[in-house]
Amino acid sequence: MIDRLIASLDSETRLWLLIGGGLLLIVALAAKKRAAKYVAVPAPGASIPIIGQWLEAYRFVHDSAGVIEDGMRKAYNGERATSGQCAPTGQTFKISTPTRWIVIATDPAVLRELKYADESVLSMQAAADERNSISYVLDNTIHSNPYHMDIILKNLTLRLGVLIPEIMEETSLCLEEYFSSKAIGYDEWIPLDEAFLSRCVSAITGRVLVGLPMCRDREYSNILVNLTKRISRAGYLCNIAPEFMKGLIASRVVKQSAEMRKFLEKLGPVFEERKAMIAKYGDEWEGQPNDCVQWVLKSAPPNTPIHELCFRIFYLDFSAIHTTTLSVTQGLYDLSAHPDSILPIRQEIEAVLGENNGEWTKHSLSMMRKLDSSLKESQRLHPVTTAVSMRKALRPYKLVDGTLLPKGVWAVVPAYSLNRSREYYDDPETFDAFRFSRKEDDGAKHGGEGMAHPDENGYVSFGIGGRNACPGRFFAAAQIKLLIGFILMNFDLKMSFPHAPKPGEPITKDKFAYFLCLPGGAGEVVLMKRRKGVAERARGVKTGY
């Protein structure tokens, strides 16, 4: 009877029934998975029986900061509280997302526990792997054997002083080529091109990862940017899909894609050539490149396949391109929306470069306190992700406040909310470019720590710190400061409004996509070449091209 009923339906109706049945199966499997990982803490935003958790999960997709903030307000001593009151003294609670319940930690004792958590119990690597489905879309050894972490700490971070002139060279070249190609004069405003910024960050990162001449290969840079988007999309699809579908999705969306094939065709021969040189001249052959390709070859287990070596390089690129581009874009948004802060930063940069023979170096960057303060303030208000220091319980674990985390449950730190707490800041919702440089002048605790230094007392944009702090944060901070500092010295910025803002409409307003915090608002950033850059170079200040 059922067979005859199905046969009587037209093909379009059968297709929609199939799709609907598939969605119901996914929801049923997700519900079963959630039930198996029950956490006995409040769920303030999912109070409506049965459907409450799914309504909150839907809202989380486009307003994760609002979901977390509402939860913190409601959990604060059992009452709703005004913004900033709820953190960090509220109790542990959970929020609903499309794929899982997530435990939100706000108690200072729990934050410290996550900061120093044992990786074998509360794992950052396992959470990162699950969040982006890296085991499926790239390779399962990336997080099971994260030797790239030592590469970042021992090779990248320690060589930062040597790398900064190379980063500045690529920054100058990228901007020169871009504006020259558009034949833009000194009196012409153009919109900020975020796609170009992605390519620029890709080239700068590539200078360190794959060296010359590969980093200047335009096709290679475009492949990286497009592949990054593809892997982000595949990671999300795998995240919400049942286990038996993840491998198929990863294969179709990423591993069989033209971008992945071209990427391996570009980078694979570089590894082959380097391996041949090592076989011929030994591990420490004279004149060998000092880049990440070489470091990966020396750190990877023997006989690692070429494609896995390429995946390791791409993972480092993937981790850098999107987040650094967002940080640079947000920094430019904030400075354009607050133009009175630009001149003092320029004056400081000019003075510092004048004292350092016009050179952008690790030392001169450390002296640019106003630049660092403005970007730290931008990161405080608009962290790249609304939650950080994500940890996955690898076995049942009881937190110091008594919360029992079943195996597989995540615990996270709500960066967007903690960074805006009145517990630590006056007027925390307002952008104050020199908030941190003034504290340094006053000898306060925050002074001199810089944007790359986490502080559990109100600045956790790069994570809460501890043994699992983001290892690439110093390199990322240097990239952000160099790129924005260079732009400020060579271009004027302002906020342009295609339509007049409505009364009370904020100039900048964050948008959210799951955990990501994206720049937005009523206006757009526009740039124009500065004539003053020529005069500064005449005085020996090397601002760029």
Side-chain angles (χ1 to χ4, degrees):
M1 179 177 176
I2 295 177
D3 291 344
R4 289 197 302 272
L5 178 61
I6 293 176
S8 67
L9 300 174
D10 60 74
S11 59
E12 184 177 353
T13 302
R14 288 199 297 268
L15 175 61
W16 282 110
L17 282 174
L18 180 63
I19 293 172
L23 290 174
L24 285 174
L25 175 62
I26 290 173
V27 171
L29 291 173
K32 181 179 179 182
K33 185 177 180 181
R34 285 165 176 262
K37 297 177 180 178
Y38 176 75
V39 187
V41 294
S47 55
I48 303 175
I50 303 176
I51 65 169
Q53 61 177 299
W54 300 109
L55 293 175
E56 183 176 64
Y58 172 76
R59 182 187 171 199
F60 175 86
V61 172
H62 58 85
D63 188 19
S64 60
V67 167
I68 294 172
E69 181 70 9
D70 281 354
M72 294 179 75
R73 289 174 182 171
K74 292 176 182 178
Y76 180 73
N77 289 337
E79 304 172 356
R80 288 196 63 83
T82 58
S83 178
Q85 269 191 303
C86 48
T89 53
Q91 67 183 98
T92 300
F93 63 98
K94 63 185 177 183
I95 62 169
S96 177
T97 77
T99 53
R100 59 182 63 83
W101 288 104
I102 292 181
V103 171
I104 307 295
T106 65
D107 185 272
V110 178
L111 297 182
R112 285 191 292 273
E113 185 175 21
L114 294 180
K115 180 176 181 177
Y116 298 108
D118 186 335
E119 176 67 15
S120 67
V121 179
L122 297 177
S123 174
M124 178 184 73
Q125 294 294 331
D129 180 60
E130 189 172 289
R131 180 185 174 196
N132 295 301
S133 300
I134 295 299
S135 292
Y136 292 95
V137 300
L138 285 178
D139 179 57
N140 61 8
T141 67
I142 287 177
H143 287 294
S144 64
N145 182 16
Y147 61 81
H148 58 274
M149 300 284 281
D150 281 340
I151 289 175
I152 295 171
L153 291 170
K154 296 177 181 178
N155 297 96
L156 187 59
T157 301
L158 294 180
R159 290 189 67 245
L160 196 54
V162 176
L163 295 174
I164 283 176
E166 298 178 9
I167 295 172
M168 179 50 66
E169 182 181 350
E170 292 306 314
T171 301
S172 177
L173 182 65
C174 285
L175 289 170
E176 180 179 11
E177 288 182 351
Y178 177 71
F179 282 89
S180 297
S181 69
K182 291 185 173 293
I184 295 169
Y186 283 99
D187 299 310
E188 189 174 354
W189 292 95
I190 66 165
L192 175 67
D193 187 339
E194 294 181 28
F196 159 71
L197 276 182
S198 291
R199 294 195 300 272
C200 188
V201 171
S202 174
I204 293 169
T205 306
R207 178 67 180 265
V208 177
L209 297 187
V210 298
L212 293 169
M214 179 70 79
C215 69
R216 294 180 183 173
D217 185 325
R218 178 62 60 83
E219 183 183 9
Y220 178 74
S221 293
N222 288 337
I223 289 169
L224 287 178
V225 172
N226 293 333
L227 193 54
T228 294
K229 295 176 182 177
R230 182 173 285 273
I231 285 183
S232 295
R233 186 163 61 250
Y236 168 69
L237 291 174
C238 288
N239 210 348
I240 64 173
E243 199 71 26
F244 67 88
M245 294 178 61
K246 295 180 187 290
L248 176 62
I249 292 171
S251 178
R252 294 298 298 272
V253 178
V254 177
K255 293 184 177 179
Q256 296 180 24
S257 68
E259 289 92 343
M260 180 59 77
R261 175 178 54 79
K262 292 176 182 178
F263 170 71
L264 294 175
E265 288 174 354
K266 285 280 188 181
L267 190 56
V270 176
F271 273 108
E272 294 281 10
E273 181 183 358
R274 299 284 185 89
K275 288 185 74 173
M277 296 295 285
I278 291 174
K280 184 175 182 179
Y281 299 111
D283 285 341
E284 302 300 329
W285 49 283
E286 186 176 352
Q288 64 178 284
N290 201 359
D291 57 27
C292 203
V293 170
Q294 208 70 15
W295 305 334
V296 166
L297 276 173
K298 292 181 178 180
S299 302
N303 303 316
T304 299
I306 292 295
H307 72 275
E308 289 187 13
L309 299 175
C310 293
F311 287 164
R312 192 70 60 151
I313 291 289
F314 177 77
Y315 182 70
L316 294 173
D317 256 314
F318 171 75
S319 302
I321 292 174
H322 193 49
T323 54
T324 302
T325 301
L326 284 177
S327 297
V328 171
T329 303
Q330 185 63 67
L332 294 174
Y333 262 76
D334 284 325
L335 291 172
S336 298
H338 302 86
D340 56 320
S341 63
I342 293 177
L343 181 58
I345 296 172
R346 279 183 179 149
Q347 291 173 336
E348 179 188 65
I349 293 174
E350 182 178 352
V352 170
L353 293 179
E355 295 171 2
N356 289 271
N357 196 32
E359 301 288 346
W360 295 80
T361 64
K362 184 178 180 181
H363 175 67
S364 63
L365 271 185
S366 70
M367 296 172 65
M368 298 176 187
R369 294 160 42 210
K370 287 184 170 66
L371 174 64
D372 187 278
S373 175
S374 65
L375 298 180
K376 184 173 182 177
E377 178 73 349
S378 178
Q379 287 285 297
R380 180 187 72 82
L381 282 170
H382 320 283
V384 172
T385 57
T386 55
V388 296
S389 299
M390 300 174 184
R391 301 285 186 265
K392 179 181 177 180
L394 300 184
R395 60 174 174 78
Y397 181 81
K398 182 177 287 188
L399 297 172
V400 292
D401 67 349
T403 300
L404 179 63
L405 301 179
K407 180 180 178 180
V409 167
W410 289 20
V412 305
V413 176
Y416 195 89
S417 297
L418 290 184
N419 284 358
R420 294 167 177 248
S421 173
R422 296 184 187 279
E423 181 86 9
Y424 307 119
Y425 301 106
D426 296 327
D427 200 9
E429 301 288 335
T430 300
F431 178 85
D432 179 354
F434 308 127
R435 183 189 300 271
F436 294 102
S437 56
R438 285 198 307 273
K439 287 186 176 183
E440 182 176 351
D441 291 337
D442 295 338
K445 178 181 178 181
H446 289 281
E449 292 183 342
M451 65 179 293
H453 290 266
D455 183 349
E456 63 192 76
N457 298 313
Y459 180 72
V460 293
S461 299
F462 282 94
I464 201 168
R467 66 183 68 180
N468 288 316
C470 171
R473 64 192 185 279
F474 295 104
F475 176 64
Q479 276 187 298
I480 295 165
K481 286 193 280 188
L482 285 168
L483 190 49
I484 290 185
F486 183 91
I487 289 173
L488 290 178
M489 294 303 288
N490 289 279
F491 301 92
D492 286 319
L493 305 177
K494 71 176 183 179
M495 191 68 73
S496 174
F497 299 95
H499 307 285
K502 298 176 183 178
E505 182 180 6
I507 296 177
T508 62
K509 184 178 181 181
D510 294 328
K511 299 179 291 185
F512 304 97
Y514 295 85
F515 281 116
L516 282 179
C517 177
L518 308 170
E524 64 175 357
V525 178
V526 293
L527 302 89
M528 180 175 67
K529 279 187 177 181
R530 292 183 68 220
R531 295 180 184 277
K532 190 176 180 182
V534 177
E536 286 162 345
R537 286 203 304 278
R539 294 198 299 273
V541 178
K542 299 178 182 179
T543 58
Y545 51 86

